Amino acid sequence: RAKTEYNQQLQRVYNQRKYQNDVARYQRERYELAIEYQQELGEWQSERYYENAANIQESLNTQYGAIFNRIEQARTKTLNGIEQAGRAADKGASSITVAASESGTQGNSIRLAKQQFERAEAEYANIEFNNLRNRVNQEKYTMLALRAEAQNKINQLMPAPMSRVDTPGPQ
C-alpha cells in the first residue's frame, strides 16, 4: 500500500510538472507571437505613416507651386501696369510739348505740366509696388498656415504607442 501511495504521489507530481511545462510553453509561444505581431504591426504603421507624410509633403509642394505662380502673375501684372503708366505719362508729356510748341508757350508751366505726369506715374508705380509687396506678404502667411496645417496632419497620423506585451509568468 505504501508503494501504491508513493506511485500515486509520483504520478501527481509528474502530472503537475507536465501541466506546468505545458502552461509555460503556451505562455512562451503566446509571448513570442505577441512580439512578432507587434513588430509586424509597427512596421506596417511606420510604412503607412511615411507614405501619408510623403503624400502630405507632395500636396504641400503643389500648393506652394500654385502660390508662387500667383505671385509671379501679380509681379508680371504690376510691371506691365507700371510700363503702361510710363507710356501714358510719356504720351501726356509729349502732347503737352506739342501743344506748347503750337501755342508758343514756354517756361515753368510746361515743366510743371510734365512733372504732373511724372508724379502721377511715380505714384502709380509706388502704389503698385506696395500692393505687390503686400500680396507677397499675404502669400507668405498663407504658406506658413499651409505648412502648419500639413505638420498638424502629419502629427495626427503618428501611430499611438503600442501596448505592453504581457511577459510569461514566473517559471
Side-chain angles (χ1 to χ4, degrees), residues 3-99:
K3 189 174 183 176
T4 306
E5 270 184 42
Y6 174 75
N7 284 340
Q8 288 174 345
Q9 280 183 338
L10 193 62
Q11 186 64 36
R12 272 191 298 245
V13 168
Y14 174 77
N15 288 342
Q16 274 183 331
R17 184 154 300 174
K18 183 179 180 306
Y19 173 76
Q20 289 170 349
N21 287 339
D22 288 346
V23 168
R25 185 174 34 265
Y26 169 77
Q27 287 176 341
R28 196 172 42 255
E29 287 173 0
R30 199 175 109 240
Y31 175 74
E32 289 170 1
L33 285 174
I35 293 294
E36 183 180 330
Y37 173 75
Q38 276 203 342
Q39 287 174 341
E40 290 175 7
L41 179 62
E43 290 171 9
W44 182 84
Q45 286 177 336
S46 181
E47 289 172 9
R48 296 296 85 65
Y49 174 76
Y50 287 114
E51 283 176 10
N52 288 328
N55 289 338
I56 290 170
Q57 181 63 46
E58 184 178 328
S59 172
L60 185 62
N61 289 341
T62 302
Q63 291 172 328
Y64 280 178
I67 288 172
F68 289 135
N69 284 338
R70 287 195 307 259
I71 289 172
E72 182 59 27
Q73 289 171 357
R75 186 187 73 80
T76 302
K77 182 180 174 187
T78 298
L79 294 176
N80 288 339
I82 290 171
E83 185 180 335
Q84 288 175 354
R87 278 185 266 165
D90 290 344
K91 185 177 177 182
S94 297
S95 65
I96 292 286
T97 303
V98 168

Side-chain angles (χ1 to χ4, degrees), residues 74 78 124-138:
T78 298
Y124 180 83
N126 184 45
I127 290 169
E128 286 297 309
F129 277 124
N130 284 338
N131 288 341
L132 179 61
R133 185 183 67 237
N134 292 337
R135 175 82 184 261
V136 168
N137 283 336
Q138 182 59 45

